[in-house]
Amino acid sequence: MEETTNPSPTTREVGIRYGLIMGVIGVIYFLVLTFAGVDMTGGPGRYASFIFLIVIFVLAHKYFKDGGDGFMSFGQGFSIVFWISLVSNVINNLFFYIYVKFIDAGFIQLLKDKQMEEMSNRGMSEEQIDQAMNIAGKFMTPEVMLAFGLIGGIIMYVICGIIITLFTQKKNPAADI
């Protein structure tokens, strides 16, 4: 009788799998905070998503090690992190683009109003606020926010993932021979 073994998962397979999971979590998180009226531009609303991200990175690395030989090099961990970052950020930013472009066009105005309020609270004059908002307004379109969200999100996730990978890597001692 032949014994069948499942091949070890590749870093790309694991990254895409967990990137899809993180993407769905990100969309749900965004919708919950939006409908609850929680400010996502600062405080817990902004930074709590990193808890999900850390958990996803750790679980993905564990899945890779458990499905393989029990080891994961830094390069393999980084590859997993890269794929998670790419897939989840594409999902989240495309959803955000569709949301602000077609579902809630007033969302960007809400962000602008919050920025103006923060500038006013910092003691900026009306002229300074108007000048700052003219500049910021050019960057606060759905298309520009999509581009910056993708690039910035991937960079932030990868930096966070590199730190996590430093702790979750498990070098194969046989590979050093």
Side-chain angles (χ1 to χ4, degrees):
M1 188 160 173
E2 286 185 40
E3 186 178 315
T4 59
T5 59
N6 291 334
S8 298
T10 67
T11 57
R12 183 171 51 180
E13 290 169 347
V14 174
I16 290 172
R17 173 191 196 118
Y18 281 87
L20 291 170
I21 293 168
M22 186 63 199
V24 170
I25 289 171
V27 168
I28 292 169
Y29 183 70
F30 172 79
L31 290 173
V32 167
L33 292 183
T34 299
F35 292 128
V38 176
D39 182 12
M40 289 179 276
T41 60
R46 180 176 185 168
Y47 300 110
S49 64
F50 282 106
I51 294 170
F52 296 125
L53 185 65
I54 291 167
V55 169
I56 289 293
F57 285 158
V58 170
L59 289 175
H61 288 166
K62 181 180 181 332
Y63 179 83
F64 179 79
K65 290 185 280 190
D66 291 348
D69 58 4
F71 300 103
M72 180 186 74
S73 69
F74 179 83
Q76 290 170 319
F78 178 80
S79 180
I80 292 168
V81 162
F82 171 77
W83 285 107
I84 292 171
S85 302
L86 180 66
V87 171
S88 64
N89 271 287
V90 166
I91 291 169
N92 288 321
N93 284 288
L94 282 176
F95 176 81
F96 181 77
Y97 173 78
I98 291 167
Y99 182 81
V100 299
K101 182 79 174 182
F102 303 108
I103 298 171
D104 185 4
F107 189 82
I108 291 178
Q109 186 58 48
L110 181 69
L111 293 176
K112 288 179 182 179
D113 292 344
K114 286 181 184 180
Q115 270 190 331
M116 288 173 56
E117 183 180 327
E118 288 174 14
M119 287 186 259
S120 179
N121 291 341
R122 284 187 268 157
M124 292 176 71
S125 69
E126 286 292 321
E127 184 179 299
Q128 290 173 320
I129 292 172
D130 288 342
Q131 189 176 27
M133 290 309 296
N134 283 337
I135 295 168
K138 295 174 183 166
F139 294 100
M140 295 187 88
T141 66
E143 294 76 18
V144 173
M145 291 175 85
L146 172 66
F148 279 111
L150 282 170
I151 295 165
I154 290 170
I155 291 170
M156 292 279 296
Y157 279 27
V158 166
I159 291 170
C160 183
I162 288 171
I163 296 167
I164 300 299
T165 303
L166 288 171
F167 293 102
T168 60
Q169 68 180 330
K170 186 174 181 185
K171 296 177 184 173
N172 186 345
D176 292 336
I177 298 175

